[in-house]
């Protein structure tokens, strides 16, 4: 059994005296590895090592362009290991291989994007008065903590770690207990890289133990977290005690709004992909369909036909859709489907399935539910499975009202041929990202990503994310002769 150690202060940590936790392959339920459940002492050591590394002369001497070079090298490593990394991600998360391959490409792109930014992030000079030169300098936050979820581990580690290293921080990654494999592969590379020891560290373990200990540690200067609202809220409370900024990306209940004049073929494909990607276990999943009343039956039929032809199977077999992450998530989704059967009508799907040869895996049919009350918990709460709820509207105002009536506001898809309607709707929806006639266009490394309302605080991706990891120092210089 593969034993995955942690990286603390440049050394592998994990031995007989540690508690080891199992990691399973969601496609067949088999154990594939073990991780260390970090102790309080190990967390203390990691935070202390990060502080020493951050303050070291060696790290101060590391020039911004050298940080950039190192991140470019990481991107090259990711590309050169595309096959191995995608297989690891598929084995660990369950997603189809083609989706893992696109995650690997996105990870490489994050490192390249922020590599380029490493020596191009700078302050301003501010005109105040004669004899006074006022400048702002951007400085790293210090020790940044990256708490990563299980649904896109490779991408989510890459997007925040690349930005934090580009701007000169010492980073600690806490990977999700279910999916440590690609985090470990990146860690192996960092260990052998030119980075001073302690600048990149990887901690594993139970979220409510090691994760909570890290999040509340006074030695942490900034926290980036992706995951549930509940955990996000507790991390924010921990950060509040230390007056530490947080970047939170907390999921959504994102709508696709389909107007009657839309290209329905393209809209149906977009809606389908937005909910089956990673079996619906995606923060930006398009889990609500808001469709204009006069095309509802036709459009739902188009979707139903597409849902029925989807191939579901083990990630490694490259199906259209893979399994659910683990038994806990699987049972939660099935429970919600039972509730949906009572409160609405199942158009297609609605059940667990068994995949021949992979009987231990956690498979659920892609599902469309109609007839729910929009106030119901199923319509309002993140299901984190391949479950789409359908609602109708009669005019743009009603579409906008429905789109905005959840606690979330991460992504909105708008499908229409009418440019006025498209812009009007985009201007009124409470959503951090809006896609018109697409959903998740072009991957979006350069596009700011984050949520309105309970979908989170702050933005990741894009050059704006660099400010998550920097603080502004104003220096005023008085001169006279
Ligand atoms: P979670 O939010 O509890 O866990 C995410 C990460 O936070 C993991 O690394 C975990 O180890 C860590 N963590 C957990 N408790 C912590 C704590 N108290 N302090 C610090 N770190 C902690 O998510 P989950 O339990 O794995 O999944 C539950 C639900 O969360 C899912 O059903 C889904 O709705 C949502 N979720 C959303 C996303 C997203 O991309 N927005 C990702 C994963 C899960």
């Amino acid at each position: 059994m593969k034993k995955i150690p942690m990286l603390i202060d440049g050394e592998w940590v994990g031995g007989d005296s540690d508690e080891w936790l199992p990691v399973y392959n969601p496609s067949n339920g088999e154990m594939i590895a073990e991780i260390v459940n970090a102790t309080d002492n190990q967390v203390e050591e990691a935070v202390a090592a990060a502080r020493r590394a951050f303050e070291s002369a060696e790290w101060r001497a590391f020039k911004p362009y050298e940080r950039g070079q190192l991140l470019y090298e990481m991107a090259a490593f990711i590309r050169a290991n595309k096959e191995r990394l995608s297989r690891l991600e598929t084995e660990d998360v369950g997603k189809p291989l083609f989706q893992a391959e696109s995650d690997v490409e996105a990870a490489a792109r994050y490192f390249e994007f922020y590599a380029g930014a490493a020596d191009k992030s700078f302050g301003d000079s501010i005109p105040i008065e004669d004899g006074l030169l006022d400048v702002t300098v951007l400085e790293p936050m210090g020790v940044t903590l990256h708490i990563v979820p299980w649904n896109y581990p490779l991408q989510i580690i890459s997007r925040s770690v690349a930005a934090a290293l580009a701007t000169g921080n010492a980073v600690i990654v806490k990977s999700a207990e279910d999916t440590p494999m690609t985090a470990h592969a990146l860690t192996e590379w960092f260990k052998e890289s030119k980075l001073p020891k302690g600048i990149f560290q990887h901690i594993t373990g139970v979220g409510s133990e090691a994760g909570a200990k890290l999040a509340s540690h006074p030695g942490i200067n900034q926290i980036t977290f992706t995951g549930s609202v509940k955990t996000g809220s507790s991390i924010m409370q921990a950060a509040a005690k230390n007056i530490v900024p947080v970047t939170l990306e907390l999921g959504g209940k994102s709508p696709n709004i389909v107007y009657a004049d839309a290209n329905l073929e393209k809209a149906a494909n977009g809606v389908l992909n937005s909910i089956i990607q990673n079996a619906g276990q995606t923060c930006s999943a398009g889990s609500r369909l808001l469709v204009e009343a006069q095309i509802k039956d036709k459009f739902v039929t188009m979707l139903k036909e597409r849902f029925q032809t989807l191939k579901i199977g083990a990630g490694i077999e490259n199906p259209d859709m893979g399994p659910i992450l683990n038994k806990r998530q699987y049972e939660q989704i099935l429970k919600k489907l039972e509730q949906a059967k009572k409160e609405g009508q199942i158009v297609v799907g609605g059940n667990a399935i068994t995949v021949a040869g992979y009987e231990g895996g956690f498979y659920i049919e892609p599902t469309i539910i109609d007839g729910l009350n929009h106030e119901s918990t199923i319509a309002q709460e993140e299901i984190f499975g391949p479950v789409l709820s359908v609602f109708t509207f009669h005019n743009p105002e009603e579409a906008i009202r429905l789109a905005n009536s959840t606690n979330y506001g991460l992504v909105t898809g708008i499908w229409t041929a009418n440019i006025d309607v498209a812009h009007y709707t985009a201007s009124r929806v409470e959503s951090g990202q809006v896609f018109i006639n697409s959903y998740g266009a072009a991957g979006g490394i350069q596009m700011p990503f984050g949520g309105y309302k309970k979908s989170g605080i702050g933005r990741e991706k894009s050059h704006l994310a660099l400010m998550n990891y920097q603080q502004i120092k104003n220096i005023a210089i008085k001169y006279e002769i």
Side-chain angles (χ1 to χ4, degrees):
M1 190 54 54
K2 188 171 171 54
K3 284 194 176 276
I4 295 183
M6 303 187 288
L7 183 69
I8 298 177
D9 202 14
E11 302 294 333
W12 293 124
V13 173
D16 290 345
S17 58
D18 284 296
E19 182 193 354
W20 292 83
L21 307 171
V23 177
Y24 298 98
N25 177 345
S27 290
N28 58 17
E30 285 172 14
M31 188 171 156
I32 49 174
E34 287 177 287
I35 52 164
V36 182
N37 187 18
T39 62
D40 284 0
N41 279 346
Q42 288 162 337
V43 167
E44 289 292 346
E45 280 167 26
V47 177
R51 176 69 46 203
R52 279 195 305 277
F54 176 69
E55 290 175 357
S56 68
E58 196 184 355
W59 187 230
R60 275 192 179 271
F62 221 90
K63 298 184 180 71
Y65 83 85
E66 291 172 332
R67 299 200 296 262
Q69 279 173 342
L70 190 122
L71 298 179
Y72 277 125
E73 285 167 21
M74 171 53 111
F77 160 79
I78 291 174
R79 284 230 167 75
N81 287 273
K82 182 168 183 168
E83 199 185 327
R84 178 168 75 92
L85 290 171
S86 3
R87 284 183 164 266
L88 274 180
E89 195 79 328
T90 285
E91 194 185 17
D92 209 10
V93 187
K95 61 179 66 179
L97 211 43
F98 74 93
Q99 284 174 13
E101 283 166 1
S102 98
D103 288 359
V104 172
E105 175 59 23
R109 290 274 298 109
Y110 282 120
F111 279 101
E112 283 166 354
F113 183 83
Y114 291 111
D119 57 357
K120 299 172 197 69
S121 184
F122 40 71
D124 293 313
S125 64
I126 302 171
I128 294 186
E129 64 185 28
D130 189 33
L132 185 69
L133 174 62
D134 193 84
V135 293
T136 60
V137 179
L138 301 184
E139 297 190 341
M141 296 299 297
V143 178
T144 61
L145 172 64
H146 307 249
I147 301 183
V148 180
W150 43 261
N151 51 350
Y152 290 81
L154 181 58
Q155 272 209 56
I156 291 177
I157 289 172
S158 301
R159 78 183 182 200
S160 70
V161 164
L165 287 178
T167 45
N169 295 278
V171 312
I172 299 177
V173 170
K174 157 67 183 74
S175 57
E177 35 280 62
D178 290 283
T179 59
M181 306 292 264
T182 48
H184 179 61
L186 298 190
T187 305
E188 285 178 319
W189 187 88
F190 276 120
K191 184 175 186 303
E192 299 307 319
S193 75
K194 292 186 209 99
L195 273 188
K197 65 175 187 171
I199 290 296
F200 178 93
Q201 301 183 90
H202 179 206
I203 297 289
T204 53
V206 175
S208 55
E209 298 170 19
K213 170 90 180 161
L214 280 162
S216 60
H217 199 292
I220 299 291
N221 302 115
Q222 186 274 347
I223 305 173
T224 292
F225 168 79
T226 304
S228 61
V229 172
K230 186 165 168 273
T231 305
S233 170
S234 77
I235 285 172
M236 198 170 166
Q237 289 174 47
K241 293 211 171 85
N242 295 320
I243 318 291
V244 160
V246 290
T247 304
L248 302 176
E249 201 268 272
L250 308 178
K253 195 73 189 178
S254 296
N256 268 294
I257 304 173
V258 182
Y259 286 98
D261 65 355
N263 178 325
L264 296 188
E265 288 292 325
K266 286 187 181 160
N269 292 338
V271 170
L272 172 84
N273 288 333
S274 76
I275 187 62
I276 66 154
Q277 186 178 321
N278 202 20
Q281 304 167 111
T282 304
C283 45
S284 55
S287 52
R288 288 183 298 146
L289 168 64
L290 311 181
V291 57
E292 199 159 3
Q294 67 260 44
I295 56 153
K296 182 204 167 185
D297 291 344
K298 180 179 174 188
F299 192 70
V300 171
T301 303
M302 288 170 75
L303 281 176
K304 181 179 175 182
E305 286 165 5
R306 283 165 169 77
F307 272 54
Q308 281 168 333
T309 59
L310 290 173
K311 189 167 169 291
I312 297 142
I316 206 74
E317 308 274 359
N318 226 351
D320 297 312
M321 202 184 89
I324 301 303
L325 174 86
N326 60 23
K327 194 156 186 276
R328 183 176 60 109
Q329 291 293 123
Y330 168 83
E331 284 173 353
Q332 272 178 19
I333 298 167
L334 290 177
K335 204 167 140 196
K336 286 184 178 146
L337 288 178
E338 287 315 307
Q339 192 186 336
K341 286 175 189 169
K342 290 188 202 128
E343 294 177 12
Q345 301 94 46
I346 302 284
V347 176
V348 62
N351 299 301
I353 47 170
T354 306
V355 172
Y358 297 93
E359 284 77 9
F362 308 108
Y363 299 93
I364 292 182
E365 291 174 318
T367 301
I368 302 178
I369 311 168
D370 195 7
L372 287 172
N373 184 329
H374 197 267
E375 301 309 310
S376 66
T377 55
I378 297 184
Q380 292 287 318
E381 286 178 9
E382 205 172 34
I383 295 180
F384 236 55
V387 183
L388 177 69
S389 310
V390 181
F391 305 92
T392 49
F393 65 85
H394 298 85
N395 51 54
E397 294 304 341
E398 194 182 4
I400 292 159
R401 184 180 59 71
L402 284 171
N404 290 343
S405 41
T406 75
N407 284 329
Y408 291 104
L410 193 58
V411 176
T412 302
I414 300 169
W415 302 85
T416 175
N418 184 324
I419 194 169
D420 295 304
V421 170
H423 282 292
Y424 181 78
T425 310
S427 76
R428 295 295 190 274
V429 289
E430 295 162 349
S431 178
Q433 271 193 337
V434 178
F435 292 101
I436 295 171
N437 294 325
S438 81
Y439 196 94
I445 273 84
Q446 303 97 317
M447 302 171 191
F449 178 63
Y452 280 37
K453 304 191 281 186
K454 285 193 178 166
S455 285
I457 294 179
R459 295 294 176 265
E460 292 206 73
K461 308 185 176 184
S462 86
H463 70 287
L464 296 177
L466 292 164
M467 282 316 294
N468 298 338
Y469 306 104
Q470 296 178 101
Q471 48 196 334
I472 300 168
K473 180 179 280 176
N474 190 86
I475 304 178
I477 307 153
K478 196 92 179 101
Y479 61 90
E480 60 188 18
I481 55 169

